[in-house]
Amino acid sequence: MSHAASVGNCCVKTNKTNTPLLLLFLAIIAAVIAWLVLDRLGGDGDAASKRRGEDRPIPVEIGTIERGPIELRRTFTGTLEASAAFVIAPKVGGRIEELTPDLGDSVAWRQVVARLDNAEFRQALAQAQADVEVARANLKEAESLLEIARRELQRIESLSKRGVSSESERDTAMADLLAREAHLQVSEAQLVRAEAELEAARVRLGYTEVTAGWSGSSEEQRVVAERFVDEGETVSANAPLLEIVDLDPITAVFHVTERDYALLELGQKVVLSTDAYPGESFSGSLNRIAPVFRENTRQARVELVVENSDLRLKPGMFVRATIVLDRVEETLTIPAQALTRRNGNDGIFIVDEENATVRWEPVTPGIREEERLQILDADLSGKVVTLGQQLLDDGSAIILPEPQDTGNSSAN
């Protein structure tokens, strides 16, 4: 009996100990279920409130539909290049005794820009002149010998008629005449060769004076862009001395894509600007359009000619070129912000100010000029939504902006 009683008492103690834990566990489960229910109910309330919010008027900004001219402008970035550039180099080698122009100096047409040591060339010229004199003397001697041979032949022929001279003497005199004639021809050729060598010596001596020669007007001035050597240096033939460039006019080069290429025409006017002269613009015109596109960039080279009489623009400057590619004198335009898309179509929301609603109108956009956009194939008027259209649909109610205060009310 005592053993059974002890067992029963043990069970009673165990039940009393587990009851609070079980109650706590049930309370936690109930709290979680209640939280989930409230969260679901709250979510449904938010969705309902959102649906109710969709019916509320949407505050918007509006703009005006206008008629007038519009231009299609494109601004391209490019670089200035010299319209012409060439390197001056001597045709003979030697030591530079004089190199007058320096970097940035102006150079006139046919101006002597460098002189080389010409002592050897002057000596060669003197030798060639002496050779000419010797050749002339030999020619005179040959002419005299030929004249003597002719007279000798005439004398023998005269004696032969009188029977005094033999036929062999006549043949000898004839052979001597022919030899003198050949000698004369050789002397004449030697004189021509000596005179040619003399002229070549003069030319080589002239090469020691290096001139800035280019095809163009004698009044044209060009500029030294780079100087490669200094006085006293010894250079070989065709070694570069100076780079001469033509800066008036100057060439602006930029590249265009296929989209704009078809709209370019030779002679189109261009306005250029550069960071070197903020706020200033320079005028030019389209001069050359490349007939091919570069394969790596899919762009074509375009060149502009720009007047640069004051030489302010320099090769290598970064420029922006603005070109009017198209112009419409009279067309319908809207603020560019008004254009939006619905179901893959372009359109605008036209404002019904009397009913404070909007109407969706599909449109075809055209030329854009800054903040104005051309509308094609449409005849519209009134005002359009420019801000807030992402919340609108056809027939949506809107809140129109307050009229701007012109200052009259404050004055009153």
Side-chain angles (χ1 to χ4, degrees):
M1 294 294 291
S2 62
H3 178 73
S6 64
V7 172
N9 292 335
C10 180
C11 293
V12 170
K13 290 180 181 180
T14 302
N15 292 336
K16 289 181 180 180
T17 304
N18 293 336
T19 298
L21 296 176
L22 179 62
L23 292 176
L24 178 61
F25 177 73
L26 293 175
I28 292 173
I29 292 176
V32 170
I33 294 173
W35 180 80
L36 292 174
V37 171
L38 291 175
D39 182 69
R40 182 61 180 269
L41 291 176
D44 293 341
D46 291 342
S49 63
K50 288 180 181 178
R51 287 194 297 271
R52 289 192 300 271
E54 290 177 355
D55 297 331
R56 296 175 182 174
I58 305 300
V60 297
E61 295 291 334
I62 60 176
T64 306
I65 300 175
E66 300 176 355
R67 295 195 68 87
I70 193 170
E71 293 179 340
L72 174 60
R73 297 183 181 182
R74 289 280 189 271
T75 299
F76 306 96
T77 58
T79 307
L80 293 179
E81 295 182 359
S83 56
F86 69 97
V87 175
I88 295 179
K91 294 184 178 181
V92 296
R95 184 176 58 84
I96 301 175
E97 290 189 342
E98 183 180 1
L99 186 63
T100 51
D102 208 338
L103 190 66
D105 290 348
S106 296
V107 177
W109 184 67
R110 298 295 182 186
Q111 175 183 335
V112 176
V113 297
R115 287 184 172 86
L116 305 180
D117 180 14
N118 61 2
E120 293 183 6
F121 296 97
R122 286 188 287 105
Q123 181 63 31
L125 178 63
Q127 181 65 45
Q129 289 174 338
D131 292 341
V132 169
E133 295 300 326
V134 171
R136 286 174 179 169
N138 291 336
L139 178 60
K140 289 182 179 180
E141 180 183 11
E143 290 173 347
S144 299
L145 294 175
L146 177 61
E147 183 63 25
I148 293 173
R150 284 181 181 147
R151 292 179 181 178
E152 181 64 18
L153 179 61
Q154 291 174 358
R155 186 182 69 82
I156 291 175
E157 287 179 345
S158 177
L159 293 175
S160 177
K161 290 178 181 179
R162 291 182 293 176
V164 176
S165 64
S166 64
E167 191 67 26
S168 61
E169 290 178 337
R170 183 181 179 279
D171 292 340
T172 302
M174 178 62 70
D176 185 59
L177 175 63
L178 294 176
R180 297 305 179 186
E181 288 178 348
H183 180 62
L184 177 63
Q185 292 178 354
V186 172
S187 299
E188 289 175 346
Q190 289 176 342
L191 177 60
V192 171
R193 183 180 63 180
E195 289 176 343
E197 291 178 352
L198 175 61
E199 185 62 27
R202 287 197 180 101
V203 170
R204 286 192 293 269
L205 179 61
Y207 287 159
T208 60
E209 287 190 348
V210 184
T211 60
W214 61 79
S215 60
S217 172
S218 59
E219 299 179 357
E220 186 178 354
Q221 293 276 336
R222 296 192 179 184
V223 180
V224 177
E226 191 168 358
R227 176 168 165 162
F228 301 103
V229 296
D230 290 320
E231 295 176 352
E233 293 187 34
T234 300
V235 296
S236 59
N238 300 319
L241 303 181
L242 303 168
E243 182 183 11
I244 307 296
V245 296
D246 185 10
L247 300 183
D248 184 27
I250 198 169
T251 300
V253 177
F254 61 90
H255 296 82
V256 300
T257 60
E258 298 178 31
R259 181 187 66 172
D260 300 320
Y261 183 85
L263 300 176
L264 297 177
E265 295 179 0
L266 295 178
Q268 283 178 322
K269 299 301 180 183
V270 185
V271 177
L272 281 84
S273 61
T274 176
D275 294 337
Y277 306 105
E280 295 189 48
S281 60
F282 303 85
S283 60
S285 60
L286 205 59
N287 189 37
R288 294 186 182 91
I289 303 174
V292 296
F293 285 77
R294 294 182 177 179
E295 292 185 2
N296 56 340
T297 61
R298 300 299 177 186
Q299 294 182 337
R301 177 184 172 100
V302 178
E303 296 183 4
L304 311 174
V305 57
V306 184
E307 294 298 327
N308 190 32
S309 57
D310 53 5
L311 304 183
R312 298 175 68 197
L313 298 175
K314 308 297 183 183
M317 280 186 176
F318 176 83
V319 293
R320 289 172 290 274
T322 301
I323 306 178
V324 177
L325 299 178
D326 194 10
R327 177 179 174 85
V328 180
E329 295 297 335
E330 187 69 17
T331 188
L332 192 71
T333 65
I334 62 170
Q337 296 181 6
L339 186 69
T340 187
R341 293 184 69 83
R342 287 291 186 275
N343 300 323
N345 298 319
D346 293 320
I348 56 177
F349 285 102
I350 299 180
V351 177
D352 182 353
E353 295 187 78
E354 182 177 355
N355 298 316
T357 59
V358 293
R359 182 181 86 251
W360 168 256
E361 183 71 31
V363 297
T364 302
I367 296 173
R368 175 168 179 169
E369 180 184 358
E370 296 179 354
E371 300 303 323
R372 301 297 296 181
L373 179 66
Q374 179 191 22
I375 297 300
L376 304 174
D377 304 327
D379 187 11
L380 306 173
S381 60
K383 298 181 183 296
V384 293
V385 176
T386 59
L387 184 63
Q389 60 265 52
Q390 69 274 10
L391 302 176
L392 300 178
D393 203 349
D394 187 30
S396 296
I398 60 172
I399 298 176
L400 294 172
E402 294 292 334
Q404 294 184 354
D405 189 0
T406 59
N408 293 332
S409 59
S410 61
N412 293 333

